[in-house]
Amino acid sequence: MTLKKVALNDIHEKLGAKMVPFAGYNMPVRYSSDKEEHLAVRNSVGIFDVSHMGEFMLEGPEALSLIQRVTSNDASKLEVGQAQYTCLPNEDGGIVDDLLVYKMAEEKYMLVVNASNIEKDWNWLTKYNTNGVKMENISDSMSLFAVQGPKATQALQSLTATNLDDIKFYTFVVGEFAGTPNVIISATGYTGAGGFEIYVDNQYAGQVWSAIMEAGQEQDIKPIGLGARDTLRLEMGFCLYGNDIDDTTSPHEAGLGWITKYTKEFTNWQNLKQQKEEGIKRKLVGFLMEDKGIPRQGYDIRNEAGETIGQVTSGTLSPLLNIGIGLGYVSKVYSKSETTIYIAVRNKILKAVVKKLPLI
Amino acid sequence: MNFPEELKYTKDHEWVRIEGDTITIGITSFAQQELGDIVYVEVETVDEEIGQGEVFGTVEAVKTVSDLFMPVSGTITSFNEALEASPEIINEDPYGKGWMIQATISDKSELDELISAAEYQELVG
């Protein structure tokens, strides 16, 4: 398979990024240092090119009904200009993907999906689209920049007449930005640091990227790679599809009960509702290492008696805390905050403690 | 990228400084750059004899963990303890202060299998 390139591939290479294959795309994983990039976002502002993400437009009188039937959250609550985090449950108790739903207009929605799942999600939606909703996959023509950090508003305000302070969390506006029409400015993100996600047509991507880099000079804006994107989301305890959630994990097990609403019928809702009522057997938890060591995906989680009680699904060194942190599934009895657990890090058993999310 | 002429190299991205029967081992500038910020080095094999190609420790970056392989058979005599508190010196000075272990060579003929700076340069492009 040939690697796809984002519109600004050459810009990233010129900036000295280390490029790696990710979800079929050649993506910048790091420009300078994972730690520096991570801290730039926590303390100031950074820009990520996440144009590998997929975007589908759904339009027509039945668009909402299709979204309601395939997603777990209640999209009927959305007003125009609002976005919602949700997931596509599968028929077997797991998750096809997690995604954002944007209500662009009455009868018009944009779905933003993981790059690795674009084809899978498209086929899934197509299968359920029995009511003639007009679907368009615009992934290949849309660029997406995440501008994240406490100084994001300051960095971007000069580029638009829209008052960025007015864009509340999980809302968006479509307007002129950096001299470019029809840009979606969305107060969303995957870092917990605040900021915006900027959706722009590929033909304007270079112009918008350069404008942001220039406008953010005073805030010392830095380009940020996927490496720091992962450590930032992990400090917050945000799920990563393929690590922490997948075709076999239920929304309730993953702590996504808050986006699973039984106010309507959707794929596998009866079984999921039953699971919620009867109680889950395992749960995704966040944990901090107490002993020195770094948890990694696939390491066993054990109890004091040495029995395996689960597996690490994501792990890293937290650049902010400077200790190992992770997410993993454990048997329900070990899922309470402050429970001591043990991580099998290669040949050692290291002590860790379950913590409420976020981990920082 | 910098690959000092006086050192020998392995295809596993380690460098070896040979002084009589003693060798000093670290990872190359290329390796540290590929790994990114190094946050942890674990070597618990001091005083052990480790065969060529066997694992003598691990190096962890923010995102990855990699095994460290013995370039030639030898008995590990010391570990650079400065790395415990400041593993980032491997990123800053991979051939100097960022050295990892010293060892006494078991079989000098194995040194012939190490590659030169020029050969290593070619390997990593």
Side-chain angles (χ1 to χ4, degrees):
Chain A
M1 195 178 76
T2 42
L3 273 187
K4 284 189 171 183
K5 287 181 177 173
V6 294
L8 303 189
N9 186 78
D10 293 354
I11 289 187
H12 303 310
E13 289 184 355
K14 271 191 202 125
L15 283 166
K18 175 176 160 53
M19 306 295 285
V20 297
F22 180 83
Y25 287 80
N26 189 43
M27 296 297 290
V29 67
R30 181 192 314 131
Y31 296 84
S32 57
S33 136
D34 295 320
K35 278 185 163 180
E36 272 174 40
E37 291 171 29
H38 181 109
L39 295 173
V41 172
R42 283 272 174 263
N43 299 328
S44 182
V45 59
I47 177 172
F48 308 70
D49 186 345
V50 284
S51 301
H52 59 315
M53 299 290 286
E55 295 88 8
F56 305 152
M57 299 301 288
L58 270 55
E59 206 171 346
E62 297 296 326
L64 177 60
S65 125
L66 170 60
I67 291 166
Q68 289 289 68
R69 282 185 288 122
V70 296
T71 64
S72 60
N73 209 337
D74 189 348
S76 73
K77 305 280 193 237
L78 286 172
E79 308 278 346
V80 173
Q82 288 183 336
Q84 184 180 70
Y85 179 57
T86 187
C87 77
L88 299 173
N90 67 20
E91 285 152 6
D92 314 309
I95 298 172
V96 177
D97 200 4
D98 62 338
L99 67 158
L100 292 182
V101 175
Y102 286 78
K103 185 166 184 175
M104 309 302 296
E106 293 302 332
E107 304 189 359
K108 187 177 180 186
Y109 296 83
M110 180 171 76
L111 274 45
V112 181
V113 305
N114 284 299
S116 52
N117 291 333
I118 291 173
E119 199 183 334
K120 182 171 95 163
D121 293 355
W122 180 261
N123 293 340
W124 186 264
L125 288 164
T126 304
K127 185 174 108 181
Y128 283 85
N129 182 14
T130 49
N131 294 329
V133 175
K134 188 186 158 205
M135 288 175 42
E136 193 185 359
N137 180 358
I138 57 169
S139 306
D140 286 343
S141 62
M142 187 79 109
S143 287
L144 172 55
F145 305 136
V147 181
Q148 301 277 297
K151 294 184 182 168
T153 303
Q154 272 174 274
L156 298 180
Q157 188 59 74
S158 66
L159 299 174
T160 178
T162 304
N163 184 355
L164 294 176
D165 280 328
D166 291 343
I167 308 178
K168 300 300 172 206
F169 195 47
Y170 270 76
T171 69
F172 64 96
V173 297
V174 183
E176 190 171 309
F177 182 89
T180 304
N182 295 320
V183 174
I184 302 170
I185 310 167
S186 168
T188 48
Y190 194 44
T191 63
F196 299 90
E197 292 182 299
I198 313 282
Y199 297 82
V200 56
D201 193 280
N202 280 353
Q203 62 176 312
Y204 301 115
Q207 179 184 331
V208 168
W209 173 276
S210 305
I212 294 172
M213 289 295 277
E214 196 175 315
Q217 262 178 21
E218 209 173 305
Q219 289 74 32
D220 199 19
I221 194 168
K222 286 194 166 57
I224 315 293
L226 292 185
R229 182 170 163 84
D230 192 47
T231 53
L232 286 157
R233 71 92 194 169
L234 195 42
E235 285 184 342
M236 297 307 293
F238 296 153
C239 289
L240 173 62
Y241 194 89
N243 280 40
D244 316 303
I245 50 175
D246 62 25
D247 293 309
T248 68
T249 60
S250 98
H252 293 299
E253 292 171 338
L256 299 178
W258 64 281
I259 62 161
T260 307
K261 303 279 173 63
Y262 298 101
T263 49
K264 47 132 197 186
E265 297 184 358
F266 58 92
T267 319
N268 200 34
W269 71 276
Q270 283 156 315
N271 290 328
L272 291 174
K273 189 164 184 234
Q274 191 184 346
Q275 184 186 51
K276 182 187 173 182
E277 283 159 4
E278 289 177 357
I280 48 173
K281 294 189 176 63
R282 60 172 186 166
K283 192 170 188 303
L284 186 68
V285 296
F287 61 89
L288 302 181
M289 296 304 296
E290 295 205 323
D291 288 335
K292 190 172 172 177
I294 304 168
R296 305 284 182 189
Q297 186 179 22
Y299 288 180
D300 270 359
I301 304 177
R302 299 191 182 161
N303 63 13
E304 190 150 22
E307 295 156 337
T308 298
I309 55 168
Q311 265 82 38
V312 176
T313 51
S314 289
T316 188
L317 179 101
S318 157
L320 201 70
L321 306 175
N322 214 28
I323 58 169
I325 61 170
L327 291 175
Y329 284 93
V330 295
S331 310
K332 183 77 190 305
V333 287
Y334 300 99
S335 64
K336 262 206 171 125
S337 181
E338 304 304 326
T339 304
T340 298
I341 55 173
Y342 298 84
I343 313 296
V345 177
R346 296 184 295 280
N347 55 350
K348 284 187 187 165
I349 306 298
L350 303 179
K351 202 172 179 180
V353 60
V354 174
K355 286 283 176 188
K356 276 210 187 84
L357 301 176
L359 295 171
I360 56 163
Chain B
M1 223 175 293
N2 169 31
F3 305 116
E5 288 286 324
E6 69 274 19
L7 303 178
K8 293 288 189 182
Y9 298 84
T10 74
K11 289 174 180 166
D12 295 317
H13 310 291
E14 284 143 346
W15 57 261
V16 183
R17 174 175 282 118
I18 305 162
E19 290 156 308
D21 285 341
T22 300
I23 49 174
T24 306
I25 296 163
I27 64 168
T28 66
S29 183
F30 174 81
Q32 64 81 19
Q33 199 165 356
E34 288 291 302
L35 287 167
D37 295 313
I38 291 167
V39 294
Y40 191 35
V41 183
E42 185 179 277
V43 173
E44 292 177 333
T45 46
V46 174
D47 296 332
E48 288 179 31
E49 185 172 3
I50 308 286
Q52 186 180 33
E54 288 177 11
V55 174
F56 70 82
T58 52
V59 55
E60 297 207 46
V62 175
K63 294 305 306 162
T64 49
V65 52
S66 297
D67 284 330
L68 296 164
F69 300 99
M70 203 64 180
V72 295
S73 305
T75 301
I76 298 180
T77 52
S78 64
F79 166 58
N80 180 3
E81 280 170 16
L83 299 180
E84 298 226 340
S86 308
E88 67 277 4
I89 58 185
I90 295 168
N91 294 113
E92 292 156 8
D93 188 9
Y95 304 111
K97 289 184 183 136
W99 67 276
M100 288 178 169
I101 57 165
Q102 286 195 317
T104 309
I105 305 170
S106 307
D107 177 359
K108 277 198 158 185
S109 71
E110 288 176 356
L111 293 173
D112 297 341
E113 294 166 41
L114 301 175
I115 60 177
S116 70
E119 287 167 318
Y120 182 71
Q121 171 92 57
E122 195 160 316
L123 182 78
V124 301

